[in-house]
């Protein structure tokens, strides 16, 4: 019997999760849902998270070691960084144009503004404290933060994934530089680690529909609690702002990525999107590029045809530093808050947003809600009160789901482009091909 494709399985889980979540919120089942439904989502998410670090370590080290030529690594690295930063700057520009033309902050009534600030003040303050710590250090701190002082410590917290990426890169490079007979035993160990982790991903994916069902039900439960009316009211009030963010994300995904694929590869855009859909749906359900990474790597290799060499280097790096969706969202959110508070932003401030959002999205961890915390840095840079974050906190989770899906799409697109440039792309007929 032919197996139902993974993206359909996930989609069914999502739709049922939405229906169940709405029924649960309407009938006041939030306790039952937390006790009996949410744990399935948590188990699935934890399984994805627990293999993220071994996968990064194994795949980067074997990937770099297999290059056997440092010049090739620096060429691929240079191109990858340039395209990552270029697409992020483009995404921010789309966000800035949309928010300045449509002005979603102009129509927010004063009473609503005060009500939102009162409701979310405490939550906004705790996020602000964390970002305050990040901000009060110098401009080069972002590079200092990339280097771990203790590799076990770095591997112990998924927020430090970038540190693990950097360490693994160094390790892989060193392996290329030592004599072959000394390097081979370690290369074999990491290659075998990667194979085992990929097998684990396939096992975890067996529970994807149930896991996604639990995750979506959990999100609705958190947003709506037992008062769906209040959640709908909030969505209505901030609906225009949400539409501007989502509209910008859709534009970026529908223009920038297809354009890149058309110019640099021979891959059919439609087939590409179909092939990576399991990763997009999972990113949407988990709001975490880090947790989605194992599946992003699988679909890029097995359904798009990106070589192991390219995907094992480009994708872990992308999951941690390339966040187009987050950057676009941050630009819209910063200007929206300024508009709501009646503060005009001149062209200098808009350029400042462009620059800081590139770095803020690089610095954001690949976990839920990270983009919102780092937004404080942008607000500080343009002189908008950081307490304004309270205005948008209530709808952040929904936007986080959308921006994470775009983040992952960006990573997969750039991996495909780099693979095509390096002649490492074997376009596959992905129909029926599952991971
Ligand atoms: N959740 C996003 C991600 O993991 C980051 C963010 O924008 O909050 O890609």
């Amino acid at each position: 019997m032919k197996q139902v494709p993974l993206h359909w399985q996930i989609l069914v889980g999502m739709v049922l999760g939405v229906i169940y979540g709405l029924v649960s919120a309407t009938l006041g089942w939030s306790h039952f849902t937390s006790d009996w439904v949410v744990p399935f989502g948590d188990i699935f998410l934890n399984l994805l998270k627990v293999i993220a670090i071994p996968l990064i370590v194994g795949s980067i080290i074997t990937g770099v070691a297999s290059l056997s030529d440092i010049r090739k690594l620096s060429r691929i690295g240079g191109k990858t960084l340039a395209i990552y930063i270029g697409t992020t700057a483009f995404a921010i520009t789309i966000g800035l144009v949309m928010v300045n033309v449509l002005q979603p902050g102009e129509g927010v009534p004063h009473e609503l503004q005060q009500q939102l600030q009162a409701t979310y003040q405490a939550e906004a303050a705790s996020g602000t404290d964390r970002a305050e710590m990040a901000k009060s250090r110098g401009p080069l701190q972002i590079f200092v933060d990339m280097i771990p002082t203790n590799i076990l410590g770095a591997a112990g917290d998924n927020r430090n994934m970038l540190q693990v990426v950097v360490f693994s890169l160094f390790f892989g490079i060193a392996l290329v530089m030592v004599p072959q007979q000394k390097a081979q035993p370690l290369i074999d160990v990491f290659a075998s680690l990667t194979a085992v982790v990929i097998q684990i991903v396939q096992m975890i994916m067996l529970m994807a529909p149930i896991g996604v069902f639990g995750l979506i039900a959990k999100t609705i439960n958190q947003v709506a609690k037992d008062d769906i009316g209040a959640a709908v009211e909030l969505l209505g009030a901030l609906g225009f702002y949400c539409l501007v963010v989502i509209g910008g994300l859709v534009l970026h995904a529908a223009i920038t990525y297809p354009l890149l694929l058309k110019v640099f590869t021979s891959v059919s855009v439609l087939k590409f999107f179909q092939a990576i859909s399991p990763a997009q749906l999972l990113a949407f359900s988990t709001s975490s590029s880090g947790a989605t990474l194992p599946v992003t790597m699988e679909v890029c290799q097995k359904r798009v045809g990106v070589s192991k060499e390219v995907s094992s280097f480009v994708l872990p790096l992308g999951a941690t530093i390339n966040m187009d969706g987050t950057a676009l969202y941050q630009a819209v959110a910063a200007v929206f808050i300024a508009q709501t508070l009646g503060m005009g932003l001149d062209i200098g401030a808009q350029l400042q947003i462009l620059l800081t959002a590139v770095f803020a999205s690089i610095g954001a961890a690949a976990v839920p809600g990270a983009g919102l915390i780092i937004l404080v840095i942008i607000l500080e840079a343009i002189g908008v009160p950081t307490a304004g974050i309270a205005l948008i906190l209530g709808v952040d989770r929904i936007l986080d789901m959308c921006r994470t899906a775009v983040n992952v799409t960006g990573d997969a697109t750039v991996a495909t482009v780099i693979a095509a440039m390096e002649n490492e792309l074997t376009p596959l007929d992905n129909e029926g091909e599952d991971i």
Side-chain angles (χ1 to χ4, degrees):
M1 199 178 70
K2 198 167 178 284
Q3 211 199 347
V4 180
L6 185 62
H7 59 273
W8 284 116
Q9 293 184 32
I10 299 178
L11 212 59
V12 168
M14 272 171 73
V15 172
L16 293 180
V18 171
I19 296 173
Y20 174 81
L22 292 175
V23 171
S24 154
T26 315
L27 301 180
W29 294 350
S30 66
H31 261 100
F32 175 83
T33 304
S34 307
D35 287 350
W36 295 100
V37 178
V38 171
F40 290 100
D42 289 341
I43 291 171
F44 179 60
L45 189 59
N46 289 354
L47 284 168
L48 285 173
K49 285 181 179 169
V50 78
I51 49 160
I53 295 283
L55 179 67
I56 289 177
V57 173
S59 62
I60 292 191
I61 292 177
T62 36
V64 173
S66 69
L67 283 173
S68 65
D69 177 1
I70 300 297
R71 261 176 317 177
K72 184 170 179 191
L73 176 69
S74 49
R75 188 181 66 231
I76 296 183
K79 280 188 213 166
T80 304
L81 282 180
I83 305 181
Y84 275 158
I85 293 177
T87 48
T88 304
F90 202 73
I92 300 169
T93 311
I94 292 181
L96 283 176
V97 170
M98 299 259 310
V99 72
N100 281 295
V101 171
L102 299 172
Q103 311 237 339
E106 292 302 329
V108 179
H110 190 63
E111 310 84 72
L112 175 69
Q113 182 191 321
Q114 288 188 321
Q115 188 193 328
L116 287 170
Q117 278 187 317
T119 316
Y120 293 104
Q121 210 156 28
E123 266 180 77
S126 64
T128 312
D129 287 348
R130 264 178 283 164
E132 202 69 35
M133 277 162 48
K135 186 206 71 208
S136 58
R137 295 166 298 167
L140 294 183
Q141 190 61 38
I142 181 172
F143 299 107
V144 178
D145 288 343
M146 285 181 189
I147 315 294
T149 52
N150 180 312
I151 188 58
L152 292 181
D157 182 352
N158 281 356
R159 281 171 198 279
N160 295 334
M161 252 178 216
L162 184 54
Q163 296 187 338
V164 179
V165 169
V166 172
F167 178 79
S168 307
L169 279 173
F170 271 122
F171 201 97
I173 293 170
L175 267 184
V176 178
M177 295 164 86
V178 297
Q180 169 82 20
Q181 102 250 37
K182 290 243 161 57
Q184 203 53 50
L186 268 179
I187 294 176
D188 290 343
V189 167
F190 286 111
S192 139
L193 171 73
T194 313
V196 171
V197 172
I198 286 171
Q199 187 59 46
I200 297 178
V201 176
Q202 280 162 10
M203 284 150 67
I204 297 172
M205 279 304 120
L206 294 176
M207 81 165 288
I210 295 179
V212 167
F213 174 85
L215 284 171
I216 297 284
K218 177 181 178 176
T219 306
I220 296 184
N221 205 35
Q222 275 171 349
V223 175
K225 309 235 169 40
D226 280 336
D227 188 359
I228 193 139
V232 171
E233 213 173 290
L234 182 69
L235 265 183
L238 293 176
F240 191 27
Y241 156 69
C242 293
L243 280 181
V244 174
V245 175
I246 294 170
L249 292 174
V250 170
L251 269 185
H252 187 59
I255 296 175
T256 318
Y257 301 142
L259 214 66
L260 276 176
L261 290 169
K262 278 237 167 307
V263 173
F264 293 104
T265 78
S266 56
V267 177
S268 136
V269 173
L270 222 67
K271 280 204 164 171
F272 171 81
F273 274 90
Q274 192 191 3
I276 65 158
S277 57
Q280 293 173 312
L281 292 169
L282 213 60
F284 184 81
S285 315
T286 59
S287 289
S288 169
S289 317
T292 311
L293 178 63
V295 176
T296 319
M297 293 188 62
E298 281 284 279
V299 293
C300 281
Q301 285 173 15
K302 293 202 175 154
R303 293 170 55 125
V304 182
V306 178
S307 73
K308 271 205 176 108
E309 227 174 48
V310 169
S311 62
S312 57
F313 167 69
V314 177
L315 290 171
L317 194 66
T320 45
I321 68 163
N322 179 51
M323 298 199 182
D324 294 357
T326 299
L328 186 150
Y329 147 84
Q330 288 173 326
V332 175
V335 178
F336 170 78
I337 294 172
Q339 286 170 353
T340 310
L341 300 179
M343 303 172 66
L345 295 176
D346 58 13
I347 186 78
Q350 309 267 352
L351 281 177
Q352 183 96 333
I353 294 177
L354 180 64
L355 211 72
T356 36
V358 170
F359 286 103
S361 63
I362 290 176
V367 298
L372 178 81
I373 295 171
I374 303 284
L375 177 63
V376 177
I377 296 175
I378 301 176
L379 294 179
E380 284 283 342
I382 54 171
V384 170
T386 50
I389 284 203
L391 292 169
I392 54 167
L393 236 161
V395 289
D396 187 66
R397 182 59 195 228
I398 296 162
L399 298 181
D400 196 359
M401 297 163 91
C402 303
R403 65 188 187 242
T404 308
V406 172
N407 290 346
V408 167
T409 309
D411 301 339
T413 305
V414 177
T416 310
V417 167
I418 298 284
M421 287 173 161
E422 292 292 320
N423 270 332
E424 304 237 7
L425 183 69
T426 332
L428 307 168
D429 178 11
N430 60 52
E431 264 162 48
E433 173 78 33
D434 226 333
I435 62 170

Short mmCIF file of all heavy atoms in Angstrom, two decimals, residues 27-73:
data_model
loop_
_atom_site.label_atom_id
_atom_site.label_comp_id
_atom_site.label_asym_id
_atom_site.label_seq_id
_atom_site.Cartn_x
_atom_site.Cartn_y
_atom_site.Cartn_z
N LEU A 27 -15.48 25.36 24.33
CA LEU A 27 -16.18 24.60 25.38
C LEU A 27 -15.47 24.64 26.73
O LEU A 27 -15.88 23.97 27.67
CB LEU A 27 -16.35 23.13 24.92
CG LEU A 27 -17.14 22.94 23.61
CD1 LEU A 27 -17.26 21.47 23.26
CD2 LEU A 27 -18.55 23.55 23.72
N GLY A 28 -14.38 25.40 26.81
CA GLY A 28 -13.68 25.54 28.10
C GLY A 28 -12.94 24.28 28.53
O GLY A 28 -12.94 23.91 29.70
N TRP A 29 -12.31 23.59 27.58
CA TRP A 29 -11.58 22.35 27.91
C TRP A 29 -10.10 22.58 28.14
O TRP A 29 -9.30 21.67 27.95
CB TRP A 29 -11.69 21.35 26.76
CG TRP A 29 -13.04 20.82 26.46
CD1 TRP A 29 -14.18 20.96 27.20
CD2 TRP A 29 -13.40 20.03 25.32
NE1 TRP A 29 -15.23 20.33 26.59
CE2 TRP A 29 -14.78 19.74 25.42
CE3 TRP A 29 -12.71 19.55 24.21
CZ2 TRP A 29 -15.47 18.99 24.48
CZ3 TRP A 29 -13.39 18.81 23.26
CH2 TRP A 29 -14.76 18.53 23.40
N SER A 30 -9.67 23.78 28.49
CA SER A 30 -8.23 24.05 28.47
C SER A 30 -7.44 23.12 29.41
O SER A 30 -6.32 22.72 29.10
CB SER A 30 -7.95 25.51 28.80
OG SER A 30 -8.32 25.80 30.10
N HIS A 31 -8.06 22.71 30.53
CA HIS A 31 -7.35 21.81 31.44
C HIS A 31 -7.14 20.44 30.84
O HIS A 31 -6.04 19.88 30.87
CB HIS A 31 -8.13 21.68 32.76
CG HIS A 31 -7.55 22.56 33.80
ND1 HIS A 31 -8.09 23.77 34.13
CD2 HIS A 31 -6.43 22.41 34.55
CE1 HIS A 31 -7.35 24.34 35.05
NE2 HIS A 31 -6.33 23.55 35.32
N PHE A 32 -8.23 19.92 30.29
CA PHE A 32 -8.15 18.60 29.65
C PHE A 32 -7.10 18.64 28.54
O PHE A 32 -6.26 17.74 28.41
CB PHE A 32 -9.53 18.21 29.10
CG PHE A 32 -9.50 16.93 28.32
CD1 PHE A 32 -9.57 15.70 28.98
CD2 PHE A 32 -9.35 16.93 26.93
CE1 PHE A 32 -9.52 14.51 28.25
CE2 PHE A 32 -9.29 15.75 26.21
CZ PHE A 32 -9.37 14.53 26.87
N THR A 33 -7.14 19.71 27.75
CA THR A 33 -6.21 19.83 26.61
C THR A 33 -4.76 19.86 27.12
O THR A 33 -3.89 19.17 26.57
CB THR A 33 -6.53 21.10 25.79
OG1 THR A 33 -7.90 21.02 25.39
CG2 THR A 33 -5.66 21.22 24.57
N SER A 34 -4.51 20.64 28.18
CA SER A 34 -3.13 20.70 28.69
C SER A 34 -2.68 19.34 29.20
O SER A 34 -1.52 18.97 29.04
CB SER A 34 -3.01 21.65 29.89
OG SER A 34 -3.52 22.87 29.58
N ASP A 35 -3.60 18.60 29.84
CA ASP A 35 -3.19 17.33 30.44
C ASP A 35 -3.06 16.20 29.42
O ASP A 35 -2.18 15.35 29.53
CB ASP A 35 -4.22 16.89 31.50
CG ASP A 35 -4.10 17.75 32.75
OD1 ASP A 35 -3.13 18.51 32.85
OD2 ASP A 35 -5.00 17.67 33.61
N TRP A 36 -3.94 16.19 28.42
CA TRP A 36 -4.03 15.00 27.58
C TRP A 36 -3.68 15.21 26.11
O TRP A 36 -3.52 14.25 25.38
CB TRP A 36 -5.45 14.40 27.69
CG TRP A 36 -5.71 13.90 29.07
CD1 TRP A 36 -6.41 14.54 30.06
CD2 TRP A 36 -5.22 12.68 29.63
NE1 TRP A 36 -6.40 13.79 31.21
CE2 TRP A 36 -5.67 12.64 30.97
CE3 TRP A 36 -4.45 11.62 29.15
CZ2 TRP A 36 -5.38 11.59 31.83
CZ3 TRP A 36 -4.17 10.56 30.01
CH2 TRP A 36 -4.63 10.55 31.33
N VAL A 37 -3.61 16.43 25.65
CA VAL A 37 -3.32 16.64 24.21
C VAL A 37 -1.95 17.30 24.03
O VAL A 37 -1.11 16.83 23.25
CB VAL A 37 -4.42 17.50 23.56
CG1 VAL A 37 -4.10 17.76 22.09
CG2 VAL A 37 -5.79 16.82 23.68
N VAL A 38 -1.72 18.36 24.82
CA VAL A 38 -0.47 19.13 24.68
C VAL A 38 0.78 18.23 24.82
O VAL A 38 1.74 18.39 24.06
CB VAL A 38 -0.46 20.29 25.71
CG1 VAL A 38 0.90 20.96 25.76
CG2 VAL A 38 -1.55 21.30 25.34
N PRO A 39 0.79 17.24 25.77
CA PRO A 39 2.02 16.44 25.92
C PRO A 39 2.47 15.76 24.63
O PRO A 39 3.67 15.60 24.41
CB PRO A 39 1.63 15.40 26.97
CG PRO A 39 0.57 16.07 27.78
CD PRO A 39 -0.19 16.92 26.82
N PHE A 40 1.54 15.38 23.74
CA PHE A 40 1.97 14.73 22.49
C PHE A 40 2.77 15.71 21.62
O PHE A 40 3.75 15.34 20.98
CB PHE A 40 0.75 14.20 21.72
CG PHE A 40 0.12 13.02 22.41
CD1 PHE A 40 -1.02 13.19 23.19
CD2 PHE A 40 0.69 11.77 22.30
CE1 PHE A 40 -1.57 12.10 23.85
CE2 PHE A 40 0.14 10.68 22.96
CZ PHE A 40 -1.00 10.86 23.74
N GLY A 41 2.33 16.97 21.63
CA GLY A 41 3.08 17.99 20.90
C GLY A 41 4.45 18.21 21.53
O GLY A 41 5.47 18.30 20.83
N ASP A 42 4.47 18.24 22.86
CA ASP A 42 5.74 18.47 23.56
C ASP A 42 6.73 17.33 23.32
O ASP A 42 7.93 17.56 23.12
CB ASP A 42 5.49 18.62 25.07
CG ASP A 42 4.80 19.95 25.37
OD1 ASP A 42 4.86 20.86 24.51
OD2 ASP A 42 4.21 20.09 26.46
N ILE A 43 6.21 16.09 23.33
CA ILE A 43 7.10 14.94 23.10
C ILE A 43 7.73 15.05 21.70
O ILE A 43 8.94 14.89 21.52
CB ILE A 43 6.31 13.61 23.23
CG1 ILE A 43 5.90 13.39 24.70
CG2 ILE A 43 7.13 12.42 22.71
CD1 ILE A 43 4.94 12.23 24.91
N PHE A 44 6.89 15.36 20.72
CA PHE A 44 7.37 15.47 19.34
C PHE A 44 8.43 16.57 19.22
O PHE A 44 9.50 16.38 18.64
CB PHE A 44 6.15 15.76 18.45
CG PHE A 44 6.48 15.94 16.99
CD1 PHE A 44 7.08 14.93 16.26
CD2 PHE A 44 6.16 17.13 16.34
CE1 PHE A 44 7.36 15.10 14.91
CE2 PHE A 44 6.43 17.30 15.00
CZ PHE A 44 7.05 16.27 14.29
N LEU A 45 8.12 17.72 19.83
CA LEU A 45 9.04 18.86 19.75
C LEU A 45 10.36 18.53 20.45
O LEU A 45 11.44 18.82 19.94
CB LEU A 45 8.38 20.09 20.38
CG LEU A 45 9.11 21.41 20.20
CD1 LEU A 45 9.29 21.73 18.73
CD2 LEU A 45 8.33 22.54 20.88
N ASN A 46 10.27 17.91 21.62
CA ASN A 46 11.49 17.56 22.35
C ASN A 46 12.35 16.59 21.55
O ASN A 46 13.58 16.69 21.53
CB ASN A 46 11.15 16.94 23.71
CG ASN A 46 10.60 17.98 24.67
OD1 ASN A 46 10.58 19.16 24.35
ND2 ASN A 46 10.13 17.56 25.83
N LEU A 47 11.69 15.63 20.88
CA LEU A 47 12.45 14.67 20.08
C LEU A 47 13.21 15.38 18.96
O LEU A 47 14.37 15.08 18.69
CB LEU A 47 11.49 13.63 19.46
CG LEU A 47 10.98 12.55 20.41
CD1 LEU A 47 9.83 11.77 19.77
CD2 LEU A 47 12.11 11.59 20.78
N LEU A 48 12.54 16.35 18.33
CA LEU A 48 13.21 17.10 17.26
C LEU A 48 14.37 17.92 17.82
O LEU A 48 15.45 17.99 17.22
CB LEU A 48 12.23 18.03 16.56
CG LEU A 48 11.23 17.38 15.61
CD1 LEU A 48 10.22 18.40 15.14
CD2 LEU A 48 11.96 16.79 14.40
N LYS A 49 14.12 18.52 18.99
CA LYS A 49 15.18 19.36 19.57
C LYS A 49 16.39 18.54 19.99
O LYS A 49 17.52 18.96 19.84
CB LYS A 49 14.63 20.09 20.80
CG LYS A 49 13.71 21.25 20.49
CD LYS A 49 13.28 21.86 21.79
CE LYS A 49 12.38 23.04 21.67
NZ LYS A 49 11.81 23.39 22.98
N VAL A 50 16.12 17.34 20.55
CA VAL A 50 17.23 16.58 21.12
C VAL A 50 18.20 16.10 20.04
O VAL A 50 19.39 15.89 20.30
CB VAL A 50 16.72 15.41 22.00
CG1 VAL A 50 16.26 14.23 21.16
CG2 VAL A 50 17.79 14.98 22.99
N ILE A 51 17.71 15.92 18.80
CA ILE A 51 18.64 15.46 17.77
C ILE A 51 19.28 16.61 17.00
O ILE A 51 20.18 16.39 16.20
CB ILE A 51 18.00 14.48 16.77
CG1 ILE A 51 16.69 15.06 16.25
CG2 ILE A 51 17.86 13.10 17.34
CD1 ILE A 51 16.30 14.41 14.98
N ALA A 52 18.82 17.84 17.25
CA ALA A 52 19.35 18.96 16.46
C ALA A 52 20.87 19.12 16.65
O ALA A 52 21.61 19.25 15.67
CB ALA A 52 18.63 20.25 16.82
N ILE A 53 21.32 19.09 17.90
CA ILE A 53 22.77 19.30 18.14
C ILE A 53 23.62 18.15 17.59
O ILE A 53 24.58 18.40 16.83
CB ILE A 53 23.05 19.54 19.65
CG1 ILE A 53 22.39 20.84 20.13
CG2 ILE A 53 24.54 19.53 19.96
CD1 ILE A 53 23.09 22.12 19.74
N PRO A 54 23.28 16.86 17.89
CA PRO A 54 24.09 15.79 17.28
C PRO A 54 24.09 15.88 15.76
O PRO A 54 25.11 15.62 15.11
CB PRO A 54 23.40 14.50 17.73
CG PRO A 54 22.55 14.86 18.87
CD PRO A 54 22.29 16.34 18.84
N LEU A 55 22.96 16.28 15.18
CA LEU A 55 22.90 16.37 13.71
C LEU A 55 23.82 17.47 13.19
O LEU A 55 24.56 17.27 12.22
CB LEU A 55 21.46 16.65 13.27
CG LEU A 55 21.26 16.79 11.77
CD1 LEU A 55 21.52 15.45 11.08
CD2 LEU A 55 19.86 17.26 11.43
N ILE A 56 23.80 18.63 13.86
CA ILE A 56 24.67 19.74 13.43
C ILE A 56 26.13 19.31 13.51
O ILE A 56 26.90 19.45 12.55
CB ILE A 56 24.45 20.99 14.32
CG1 ILE A 56 23.08 21.61 14.01
CG2 ILE A 56 25.55 22.02 14.10
CD1 ILE A 56 22.74 22.78 14.88
N VAL A 57 26.50 18.75 14.68
CA VAL A 57 27.90 18.37 14.86
C VAL A 57 28.31 17.34 13.81
O VAL A 57 29.30 17.51 13.09
CB VAL A 57 28.10 17.79 16.29
CG1 VAL A 57 29.50 17.22 16.45
CG2 VAL A 57 27.85 18.87 17.33
N GLY A 58 27.53 16.27 13.69
CA GLY A 58 27.88 15.19 12.77
C GLY A 58 27.92 15.67 11.33
O GLY A 58 28.89 15.42 10.61
N SER A 59 26.89 16.41 10.91
CA SER A 59 26.83 16.74 9.49
C SER A 59 27.84 17.82 9.11
O SER A 59 28.44 17.74 8.04
CB SER A 59 25.42 17.12 9.07
OG SER A 59 25.01 18.25 9.75
N ILE A 60 28.04 18.81 9.96
CA ILE A 60 29.02 19.84 9.59
C ILE A 60 30.43 19.25 9.54
O ILE A 60 31.18 19.47 8.59
CB ILE A 60 28.99 21.04 10.55
CG1 ILE A 60 27.66 21.78 10.40
CG2 ILE A 60 30.16 21.99 10.27
CD1 ILE A 60 27.60 23.10 11.10
N ILE A 61 30.76 18.47 10.57
CA ILE A 61 32.13 17.92 10.59
C ILE A 61 32.36 17.00 9.39
O ILE A 61 33.36 17.14 8.67
CB ILE A 61 32.41 17.21 11.93
CG1 ILE A 61 32.44 18.25 13.05
CG2 ILE A 61 33.73 16.43 11.87
CD1 ILE A 61 32.63 17.71 14.44
N THR A 62 31.43 16.09 9.12
CA THR A 62 31.65 15.22 7.95
C THR A 62 31.58 16.02 6.66
O THR A 62 32.34 15.77 5.72
CB THR A 62 30.61 14.05 7.87
OG1 THR A 62 29.37 14.54 8.31
CG2 THR A 62 31.02 12.88 8.69
N GLY A 63 30.67 17.00 6.62
CA GLY A 63 30.54 17.82 5.41
C GLY A 63 31.83 18.55 5.10
O GLY A 63 32.35 18.48 3.98
N VAL A 64 32.39 19.24 6.10
CA VAL A 64 33.61 20.01 5.88
C VAL A 64 34.78 19.07 5.58
O VAL A 64 35.56 19.30 4.66
CB VAL A 64 33.92 20.90 7.10
CG1 VAL A 64 35.28 21.57 6.95
CG2 VAL A 64 32.84 21.96 7.28
N ALA A 65 34.86 17.98 6.35
CA ALA A 65 35.99 17.07 6.16
C ALA A 65 35.96 16.48 4.75
O ALA A 65 37.00 16.24 4.14
CB ALA A 65 35.96 15.96 7.20
N SER A 66 34.75 16.28 4.20
CA SER A 66 34.69 15.66 2.87
C SER A 66 35.07 16.64 1.77
O SER A 66 35.32 16.24 0.63
CB SER A 66 33.28 15.10 2.61
OG SER A 66 32.38 16.17 2.47
N LEU A 67 35.10 17.93 2.08
CA LEU A 67 35.49 18.91 1.05
C LEU A 67 36.96 18.74 0.67
O LEU A 67 37.35 19.00 -0.45
CB LEU A 67 35.27 20.33 1.57
CG LEU A 67 33.82 20.82 1.59
CD1 LEU A 67 33.74 22.16 2.28
CD2 LEU A 67 33.28 20.94 0.18
N SER A 68 37.72 18.32 1.65
CA SER A 68 39.15 18.06 1.49
C SER A 68 39.91 19.19 0.79
O SER A 68 40.95 18.99 0.20
CB SER A 68 39.39 16.73 0.76
OG SER A 68 38.89 16.81 -0.55
N ASP A 69 39.33 20.36 0.79
CA ASP A 69 40.00 21.50 0.17
C ASP A 69 39.45 22.77 0.83
O ASP A 69 38.28 23.11 0.66
CB ASP A 69 39.70 21.50 -1.33
CG ASP A 69 40.29 22.71 -2.04
OD1 ASP A 69 40.94 23.53 -1.36
OD2 ASP A 69 40.10 22.81 -3.26
N ILE A 70 40.31 23.44 1.58
CA ILE A 70 39.85 24.60 2.34
C ILE A 70 39.41 25.74 1.42
O ILE A 70 38.52 26.51 1.75
CB ILE A 70 40.96 25.09 3.30
CG1 ILE A 70 41.34 23.98 4.27
CG2 ILE A 70 40.54 26.32 4.09
CD1 ILE A 70 40.25 23.53 5.19
N ARG A 71 40.01 25.79 0.22
CA ARG A 71 39.64 26.88 -0.70
C ARG A 71 38.18 26.74 -1.14
O ARG A 71 37.45 27.70 -1.24
CB ARG A 71 40.55 26.88 -1.93
CG ARG A 71 41.67 27.92 -1.77
CD ARG A 71 42.59 27.82 -2.92
NE ARG A 71 42.82 26.38 -3.17
CZ ARG A 71 43.54 25.91 -4.15
NH1 ARG A 71 44.09 26.71 -4.99
NH2 ARG A 71 43.73 24.61 -4.32
N LYS A 72 37.78 25.49 -1.34
CA LYS A 72 36.40 25.25 -1.76
C LYS A 72 35.46 25.67 -0.62
O LYS A 72 34.41 26.29 -0.85
CB LYS A 72 36.20 23.77 -2.08
CG LYS A 72 34.81 23.49 -2.62
CD LYS A 72 34.72 22.07 -3.17
CE LYS A 72 33.31 21.80 -3.69
NZ LYS A 72 33.07 20.42 -4.00
N LEU A 73 35.87 25.35 0.60
CA LEU A 73 35.04 25.72 1.75
C LEU A 73 34.88 27.23 1.84
O LEU A 73 33.79 27.75 2.04
CB LEU A 73 35.66 25.18 3.04
CG LEU A 73 34.92 25.60 4.31
CD1 LEU A 73 33.56 24.92 4.39
CD2 LEU A 73 35.73 25.27 5.56
#
